[in-house]
Coordinates of all heavy atoms in Angstrom, one line a residue:
M5 N 45.2 61.9 117.4 CA 46.1 62.3 118.4 C 47.1 63.3 117.9 O 47.5 63.3 116.7 CB 46.9 61.1 118.9 CG 46.4 60.5 120.1 SD 47.7 59.5 120.7 CE 46.7 58.2 121.4
T6 N 47.6 64.2 118.7 CA 48.5 65.2 118.3 C 49.9 64.7 118.8 O 50.1 64.3 119.9 CB 48.2 66.6 118.9 OG1 48.2 66.5 120.3 CG2 46.8 67.1 118.4
S7 N 50.9 64.9 118.0 CA 52.2 64.6 118.4 C 52.9 65.8 119.0 O 52.4 66.9 119.0 CB 53.0 64.1 117.2 OG 53.2 65.2 116.3
D8 N 54.1 65.6 119.5 CA 54.9 66.7 120.1 C 55.2 67.8 119.1 O 55.4 69.0 119.4 CB 56.1 66.2 120.8 CG 55.8 65.4 122.1 OD1 54.7 65.7 122.6 OD2 56.6 64.6 122.5
R9 N 55.4 67.4 117.8 CA 55.7 68.3 116.8 C 54.6 69.3 116.4 O 54.8 70.4 116.0 CB 56.2 67.6 115.5 CG 57.6 67.1 115.6 CD 58.1 66.6 114.3 NE 57.6 65.2 114.1 CZ 57.6 64.6 112.9 NH1 58.0 65.3 111.8 NH2 57.1 63.4 112.8
D10 N 53.4 68.8 116.6 CA 52.2 69.6 116.3 C 51.9 70.7 117.3 O 51.3 71.7 117.0 CB 51.0 68.8 116.1 CG 51.1 67.8 114.9 OD1 51.9 68.2 114.0 OD2 50.5 66.8 114.9
R11 N 52.3 70.5 118.6 CA 52.1 71.5 119.6 C 53.1 72.6 119.5 O 54.3 72.4 119.3 CB 52.2 70.8 121.0 CG 51.0 70.0 121.3 CD 51.0 69.6 122.8 NE 52.0 68.5 122.8 CZ 52.5 68.0 124.0 NH1 52.1 68.5 125.1 NH2 53.3 67.0 123.9
P12 N 52.7 73.9 119.7 CA 53.6 75.0 119.6 C 54.5 74.9 120.9 O 54.1 74.5 122.0 CB 52.8 76.2 119.6 CG 51.5 75.8 120.2 CD 51.3 74.3 119.9
T13 N 55.8 75.4 120.7 CA 56.7 75.4 121.8 C 56.4 76.6 122.7 O 56.0 77.7 122.1 CB 58.1 75.5 121.3 OG1 58.3 76.6 120.5 CG2 58.5 74.3 120.6
P14 N 56.5 76.5 124.0 CA 56.2 77.6 124.8 C 57.3 78.7 124.7 O 58.5 78.4 124.4 CB 56.2 77.0 126.2 CG 57.0 75.8 126.1 CD 56.9 75.3 124.7
G15 N 56.9 79.9 124.8 CA 57.9 81.0 124.7 C 58.7 81.1 125.9 O 58.4 80.5 126.9
P16 N 59.8 81.9 125.9 CA 60.6 82.0 127.1 C 59.9 82.8 128.2 O 59.0 83.6 127.9 CB 61.8 82.8 126.5 CG 61.4 83.5 125.3 CD 60.3 82.7 124.8
D17 N 60.3 82.5 129.4 CA 59.7 83.2 130.5 C 60.3 84.6 130.6 O 61.5 84.8 130.7 CB 60.1 82.5 131.8 CG 59.5 83.1 133.0 OD1 58.6 84.0 132.9 OD2 59.9 82.7 134.1
P18 N 59.4 85.6 130.4 CA 59.9 87.0 130.4 C 60.6 87.5 131.6 O 61.5 88.4 131.6 CB 58.7 87.9 130.1 CG 57.5 87.0 130.0 CD 58.0 85.6 130.2
D19 N 60.3 86.9 132.8 CA 60.9 87.3 134.0 C 62.4 86.7 134.1 O 63.2 87.3 134.8 CB 60.1 86.8 135.2 CG 58.8 87.4 135.3 OD1 58.7 88.6 134.8 OD2 57.8 86.8 135.8
R20 N 62.7 85.6 133.4 CA 64.0 85.0 133.5 C 64.8 85.3 132.2 O 66.0 84.9 132.2 CB 63.8 83.5 133.7 CG 63.2 83.2 135.1 CD 63.0 81.8 135.3 NE 64.3 81.1 135.1 CZ 64.4 79.8 134.7 NH1 63.3 79.1 134.6 NH2 65.6 79.2 134.5
T21 N 64.3 85.9 131.2 CA 65.0 86.0 129.9 C 65.8 87.4 130.0 O 65.1 88.4 130.2 CB 64.0 86.0 128.8 OG1 63.3 84.8 128.8 CG2 64.7 86.1 127.4
P22 N 67.1 87.4 129.7 CA 67.8 88.6 129.6 C 67.5 89.4 128.4 O 67.0 88.8 127.4 CB 69.3 88.2 129.6 CG 69.3 86.8 129.1 CD 68.0 86.2 129.5
G23 N 67.6 90.7 128.4 CA 67.4 91.5 127.2 C 67.1 92.9 127.6 O 67.5 93.3 128.6
P24 N 66.4 93.6 126.7 CA 66.2 95.0 126.9 C 65.4 95.2 128.2 O 64.5 94.5 128.5 CB 65.4 95.5 125.7 CG 65.7 94.4 124.7 CD 66.0 93.2 125.4
G25 N 65.7 96.3 128.9 CA 65.0 96.7 130.1 C 63.7 97.4 129.8 O 63.3 97.5 128.6
P26 N 63.0 97.9 130.8 CA 61.7 98.5 130.5 C 61.8 99.7 129.6 O 60.9 100.0 128.8 CB 61.3 99.0 131.9 CG 62.2 98.2 132.9 CD 63.4 97.8 132.1
G27 N 62.9 100.5 129.6 CA 63.0 101.7 128.8 C 63.6 101.4 127.4 O 63.8 102.3 126.6
G28 N 63.8 100.1 127.1 CA 64.3 99.7 125.8 C 65.9 99.6 125.9 O 66.5 99.1 124.9
G29 N 66.5 100.0 126.9 CA 67.9 99.9 127.0 C 68.4 98.6 127.6 O 67.6 97.8 128.0
V30 N 69.6 98.3 127.5 CA 70.2 97.0 128.0 C 70.7 97.3 129.4 O 71.5 98.2 129.6 CB 71.3 96.5 127.1 CG1 71.8 95.2 127.6 CG2 70.8 96.3 125.7
P31 N 70.3 96.4 130.4 CA 70.8 96.6 131.7 C 72.3 96.4 131.9 O 72.8 95.6 131.1 CB 69.9 95.7 132.5 CG 69.4 94.7 131.6 CD 69.3 95.3 130.3
P32 N 72.9 96.9 132.8 CA 74.4 96.7 133.0 C 74.6 95.2 133.3 O 73.9 94.5 133.9 CB 74.7 97.5 134.3 CG 73.6 98.5 134.4 CD 72.4 97.9 133.8
G33 N 75.7 94.7 132.7 CA 76.1 93.3 132.9 C 75.5 92.5 131.8 O 75.9 91.3 131.7
E34 N 74.7 93.0 130.9 CA 74.2 92.2 129.8 C 75.1 92.2 128.6 O 75.1 91.3 127.8 CB 72.8 92.7 129.3 CG 71.7 92.5 130.3 CD 71.3 91.0 130.3 OE1 71.2 90.4 129.2 OE2 71.0 90.5 131.4
T35 N 75.9 93.2 128.4 CA 76.8 93.3 127.3 C 78.2 93.1 127.7 O 78.6 93.5 128.8 CB 76.6 94.6 126.6 OG1 76.9 95.7 127.5 CG2 75.2 94.8 126.0
P36 N 79.1 92.6 126.8 CA 80.5 92.5 127.2 C 81.2 93.8 127.3 O 80.7 94.8 126.7 CB 81.1 91.6 126.1 CG 80.2 91.8 124.9 CD 78.8 92.1 125.5
P37 N 82.3 93.9 128.0 CA 83.0 95.2 128.1 C 83.5 95.6 126.7 O 83.8 94.7 125.8 CB 84.1 95.0 129.1 CG 84.3 93.5 129.1 CD 82.9 92.9 128.8
V38 N 83.8 96.9 126.5 CA 84.3 97.4 125.3 C 85.8 96.9 125.1 O 86.5 96.9 126.1 CB 84.3 98.9 125.3 CG1 84.9 99.5 124.0 CG2 82.9 99.4 125.4
E39 N 86.2 96.5 123.9 CA 87.5 96.0 123.7 C 88.5 97.2 123.6 O 88.1 98.3 123.2 CB 87.6 95.2 122.4 CG 86.8 93.9 122.5 CD 86.8 93.1 121.2 OE1 87.7 93.4 120.4 OE2 86.0 92.2 121.0
D40 N 89.8 96.9 123.9 CA 90.8 97.9 123.7 C 91.0 98.1 122.2 O 90.8 97.2 121.4 CB 92.1 97.5 124.3 CG 92.0 97.6 125.9 OD1 91.1 98.3 126.3 OD2 92.8 96.9 126.5
S41 N 91.6 99.2 121.8 CA 91.9 99.4 120.4 C 93.1 98.7 120.0 O 93.9 98.3 120.9 CB 92.0 100.9 120.1 OG 93.1 101.4 120.7
I42 N 93.4 98.6 118.7 CA 94.6 97.9 118.3 C 95.9 98.7 118.6 O 97.0 98.1 118.6 CB 94.5 97.6 116.7 CG1 95.6 96.7 116.2 CG2 94.6 98.9 116.0 CD1 95.4 95.3 116.6
S43 N 95.8 100.0 118.9 CA 96.9 100.7 119.2 C 97.7 100.3 120.4 O 98.8 100.5 120.6 CB 96.6 102.2 119.3 OG 95.7 102.4 120.4
G44 N 97.0 99.5 121.3 CA 97.6 99.0 122.5 C 98.6 97.9 122.2 O 99.5 97.6 123.0
A45 N 98.5 97.3 121.0 CA 99.4 96.2 120.6 C 100.7 96.7 120.0 O 101.6 96.0 119.8 CB 98.7 95.3 119.7
I46 N 100.7 98.0 119.6 CA 101.9 98.5 119.0 C 102.8 99.2 120.0 O 102.3 100.0 120.8 CB 101.5 99.6 117.9 CG1 100.6 98.9 116.8 CG2 102.7 100.2 117.2 CD1 100.0 99.8 115.9
P47 N 104.1 98.8 120.0 CA 105.0 99.5 121.0 C 105.1 101.0 120.7 O 105.1 101.4 119.6 CB 106.3 98.8 120.8 CG 106.2 98.1 119.5 CD 104.8 97.9 119.2
R48 N 105.3 101.7 121.7 CA 105.4 103.2 121.6 C 106.7 103.6 121.1 O 106.9 104.7 120.6 CB 105.1 103.9 123.0 CG 103.7 103.6 123.5 CD 102.7 104.4 122.7 NE 101.3 104.1 123.2 CZ 100.3 104.2 122.4 NH1 100.4 104.4 121.2 NH2 99.1 103.9 123.0
D49 N 107.8 102.8 121.4 CA 109.1 103.2 120.9 C 109.2 103.1 119.4 O 108.8 102.1 118.8 CB 110.2 102.3 121.6 CG 110.1 102.4 123.1 OD1 109.7 103.5 123.6 OD2 110.5 101.5 123.8
R50 N 109.9 104.1 118.8 CA 110.1 104.0 117.4 C 111.3 103.2 117.1 O 112.3 103.3 117.7 CB 110.3 105.4 116.8 CG 109.1 106.3 116.8 CD 108.2 105.9 115.7 NE 107.1 106.7 115.6 CZ 106.1 106.5 114.8 NH1 106.2 105.5 113.9 NH2 105.1 107.3 114.8
V51 N 111.1 102.3 116.2 CA 112.3 101.4 115.8 C 113.0 102.0 114.6 O 112.3 102.5 113.7 CB 111.7 100.0 115.4 CG1 112.8 99.1 114.9 CG2 111.0 99.4 116.6
E52 N 114.3 102.0 114.6 CA 115.0 102.6 113.6 C 114.8 101.8 112.3 O 114.9 100.6 112.3 CB 116.5 102.6 113.9 CG 117.4 103.2 112.8 CD 118.9 103.1 113.2 OE1 119.2 103.0 114.4 OE2 119.7 103.2 112.3
I53 N 114.5 102.5 111.2 CA 114.2 101.8 109.9 C 115.6 101.6 109.3 O 116.3 102.6 109.1 CB 113.3 102.6 109.1 CG1 111.9 102.8 109.7 CG2 113.1 102.0 107.7 CD1 111.0 103.7 109.0
R54 N 115.9 100.4 108.9 CA 117.1 100.0 108.3 C 116.9 99.8 106.8 O 115.8 99.5 106.3 CB 117.7 98.8 108.9 CG 118.0 98.9 110.4 CD 118.5 97.7 111.0 NE 119.7 97.2 110.2 CZ 120.2 96.0 110.4 NH1 119.7 95.2 111.2 NH2 121.2 95.6 109.6
K55 N 118.0 99.9 106.1 CA 118.0 99.7 104.6 C 117.7 98.2 104.5 O 118.2 97.4 105.2 CB 119.3 100.0 104.0 CG 119.5 101.5 104.0 CD 121.0 101.9 103.7 CE 121.2 101.9 102.2 NZ 122.6 102.3 101.9
P56 N 116.9 97.8 103.5 CA 116.6 96.4 103.3 C 117.8 95.5 102.9 O 117.9 94.4 103.2 CB 115.5 96.4 102.2 CG 115.7 97.6 101.5 CD 116.2 98.6 102.5
W57 N 118.8 96.1 102.2 CA 119.9 95.3 101.7 C 121.2 96.2 102.0 O 121.2 97.3 101.8 CB 119.9 95.1 100.2 CG 119.0 94.0 99.8 CD1 117.7 94.1 99.5 CD2 119.3 92.6 99.7 NE1 117.1 92.9 99.2 CE2 118.1 92.0 99.3 CE3 120.4 91.9 99.9 CZ2 118.0 90.6 99.1 CZ3 120.3 90.5 99.7 CH2 119.2 89.9 99.3
G58 N 122.2 95.5 102.6 CA 123.5 96.1 102.7 C 124.3 95.9 101.5 O 123.8 95.4 100.5
R59 N 125.5 96.4 101.5 CA 126.3 96.3 100.3 C 126.8 94.9 100.0 O 126.7 94.4 98.9 CB 127.5 97.2 100.4 CG 128.5 97.1 99.3 CD 129.6 98.1 99.4 NE 129.0 99.4 99.0 CZ 129.5 100.6 99.2 NH1 130.7 100.6 99.9 NH2 129.0 101.7 98.8
W60 N 127.3 94.2 101.1 CA 127.9 92.9 100.9 C 126.9 91.8 100.5 O 127.2 91.0 99.6 CB 128.7 92.5 102.1 CG 129.9 93.2 102.2 CD1 130.2 94.2 103.1 CD2 131.0 93.2 101.3 NE1 131.5 94.7 102.8 CE2 132.0 94.1 101.7 CE3 131.3 92.4 100.1 CZ2 133.2 94.3 101.0 CZ3 132.5 92.6 99.5 CH2 133.4 93.5 99.9
P61 N 125.7 91.7 101.1 CA 124.7 90.7 100.6 C 124.4 91.0 99.1 O 124.2 90.0 98.3 CB 123.5 90.9 101.5 CG 124.0 91.5 102.7 CD 125.2 92.4 102.3
L62 N 124.3 92.2 98.7 CA 123.9 92.5 97.3 C 125.1 92.0 96.4 O 124.9 91.5 95.3 CB 123.7 94.0 97.1 CG 123.1 94.4 95.8 CD1 121.8 93.7 95.5 CD2 122.9 95.9 95.8
V63 N 126.3 92.3 96.8 CA 127.5 91.9 96.0 C 127.5 90.3 95.9 O 127.8 89.8 94.8 CB 128.8 92.4 96.6 CG1 130.0 91.8 96.0 CG2 128.9 93.9 96.5
V64 N 127.3 89.6 97.0 CA 127.3 88.2 97.0 C 126.2 87.6 96.0 O 126.5 86.7 95.3 CB 127.1 87.6 98.4 CG1 126.9 86.1 98.4 CG2 128.4 88.0 99.3
V65 N 125.0 88.2 96.1 CA 124.0 87.7 95.2 C 124.3 88.0 93.8 O 124.1 87.1 92.9 CB 122.6 88.4 95.6 CG1 121.6 88.1 94.6 CG2 122.2 87.9 97.0
L66 N 124.8 89.1 93.4 CA 125.2 89.4 92.1 C 126.3 88.6 91.6 O 126.3 88.1 90.4 CB 125.6 90.9 91.9 CG 124.4 91.9 92.1 CD1 124.9 93.4 92.1 CD2 123.4 91.7 91.0
V67 N 127.4 88.3 92.4 CA 128.5 87.4 92.0 C 127.9 86.0 91.7 O 128.3 85.4 90.7 CB 129.6 87.5 93.0 CG1 130.6 86.4 92.8 CG2 130.3 88.8 93.0
A68 N 127.1 85.5 92.6 CA 126.5 84.2 92.4 C 125.7 84.1 91.1 O 125.8 83.1 90.4 CB 125.7 83.8 93.6
G69 N 124.9 85.2 90.9 CA 124.2 85.2 89.6 C 125.0 85.2 88.4 O 124.7 84.5 87.4
V70 N 126.1 85.9 88.4 CA 127.0 86.0 87.3 C 127.7 84.6 87.1 O 127.9 84.1 86.0 CB 128.1 87.1 87.5 CG1 129.2 87.0 86.5 CG2 127.4 88.5 87.4
L71 N 128.1 84.0 88.2 CA 128.7 82.7 88.1 C 127.8 81.6 87.5 O 128.1 80.8 86.7 CB 129.2 82.2 89.5 CG 130.5 82.9 90.0 CD1 130.8 82.4 91.4 CD2 131.7 82.5 89.0
V72 N 126.5 81.6 88.0 CA 125.5 80.7 87.5 C 125.3 80.9 86.0 O 125.2 80.0 85.2 CB 124.2 80.8 88.3 CG1 123.1 80.0 87.6 CG2 124.4 80.2 89.7
A73 N 125.2 82.2 85.6 CA 125.0 82.5 84.2 C 126.2 82.1 83.3 O 126.0 81.5 82.2 CB 124.7 84.0 84.0
A74 N 127.4 82.3 83.8 CA 128.6 81.9 83.1 C 128.7 80.3 83.0 O 129.0 79.8 81.9 CB 129.8 82.4 83.8
L75 N 128.3 79.6 84.0 CA 128.3 78.2 84.0 C 127.3 77.6 83.0 O 127.5 76.7 82.3 CB 128.1 77.6 85.4 CG 129.3 77.7 86.3 CD1 128.9 77.2 87.7 CD2 130.5 77.0 85.9
L76 N 126.1 78.3 83.0 CA 125.1 77.8 82.0 C 125.5 78.1 80.6 O 125.3 77.3 79.7 CB 123.8 78.5 82.3 CG 123.1 78.1 83.6 CD1 121.9 78.9 83.9 CD2 122.7 76.6 83.5
L77 N 126.2 79.3 80.3 CA 126.7 79.6 79.0 C 127.8 78.6 78.6 O 127.8 78.1 77.4 CB 127.2 81.0 78.9 CG 126.1 82.1 78.9 CD1 126.8 83.5 79.0 CD2 125.3 82.0 77.7
V78 N 128.7 78.2 79.5 CA 129.7 77.3 79.1 C 129.1 75.9 78.8 O 129.5 75.2 77.9 CB 130.8 77.2 80.3 CG1 131.7 76.0 80.1 CG2 131.6 78.4 80.4
R79 N 128.1 75.5 79.6 CA 127.4 74.2 79.4 C 126.7 74.2 78.1 O 126.7 73.2 77.3 CB 126.5 73.9 80.6 CG 125.7 72.7 80.5 CD 126.6 71.5 80.7 NE 125.8 70.3 80.7 CZ 126.2 69.1 80.3 NH1 127.5 69.0 80.0 NH2 125.4 68.1 80.3
A80 N 126.0 75.3 77.7 CA 125.3 75.4 76.5 C 126.3 75.3 75.3 O 126.1 74.7 74.3 CB 124.5 76.7 76.4
F81 N 127.4 76.0 75.4 CA 128.4 76.0 74.4 C 129.0 74.6 74.2 O 129.3 74.2 73.1 CB 129.5 77.1 74.7 CG 130.6 77.1 73.6 CD1 130.3 77.7 72.4 CD2 131.9 76.6 73.8 CE1 131.3 77.8 71.4 CE2 132.8 76.6 72.9 CZ 132.5 77.2 71.7
D82 N 129.3 73.9 75.3 CA 129.8 72.6 75.3 C 128.8 71.6 74.6 O 129.3 70.7 73.9 CB 130.1 72.1 76.7 CG 130.9 70.9 76.8 OD1 131.8 70.7 75.9 OD2 130.7 70.1 77.7
L83 N 127.6 71.8 74.8 CA 126.6 70.9 74.2 C 126.5 71.1 72.7 O 126.2 70.2 71.9 CB 125.2 71.1 74.8 CG 125.0 70.6 76.2 CD1 123.7 71.0 76.8 CD2 125.2 69.1 76.3
L84 N 126.7 72.4 72.2 CA 126.7 72.7 70.8 C 127.9 72.2 70.0 O 127.8 71.9 68.9 CB 126.5 74.2 70.6 CG 125.2 74.8 71.0 CD1 125.2 76.3 70.9 CD2 124.1 74.2 70.2
V85 N 129.0 72.1 70.7 CA 130.3 71.7 70.0 C 130.5 70.2 70.1 O 130.1 69.3 70.7 CB 131.5 72.4 70.6 CG1 132.7 71.9 70.0 CG2 131.3 73.9 70.4

């Protein structure tokens, strides 16, 4: 006896299977529409480019760094004495 696995599977019905047309081309409606380009996601208005750091944030960061360094030096000196 032959099992179901031994029998070849029937091929698709050519009349109902989508795919290339008679001339080798794809009929309309078979392919998805073309996507828009990425340029549509970018706004057309130019945004003013700003400096990454202003004067005051830079001063605050530098002062905080100097204070932390001074405190660490005082602590290190205190541990040595």
Side-chain angles (χ1 to χ4, degrees):
M5 262 199 216
T6 61
S7 66
D8 287 339
R9 282 191 278 166
D10 295 336
R11 283 190 282 168
T13 57
D17 183 11
D19 294 331
R20 296 182 48 208
T21 305
V30 180
E34 288 288 321
T35 58
V38 177
E39 295 180 15
D40 289 339
S41 66
I42 191 72
S43 64
I46 301 172
R48 298 285 180 211
D49 298 335
R50 289 282 182 185
V51 177
E52 180 184 339
I53 298 174
R54 297 177 54 190
K55 294 165 83 175
W57 284 89
R59 176 174 285 163
W60 287 109
L62 188 58
V63 168
V64 169
V65 169
L66 289 175
V67 168
V70 169
L71 285 175
V72 168
L75 289 173
L76 289 174
L77 286 174
V78 168
R79 179 72 176 149
F81 181 74
D82 191 34
L83 289 175
L84 290 175
V85 176

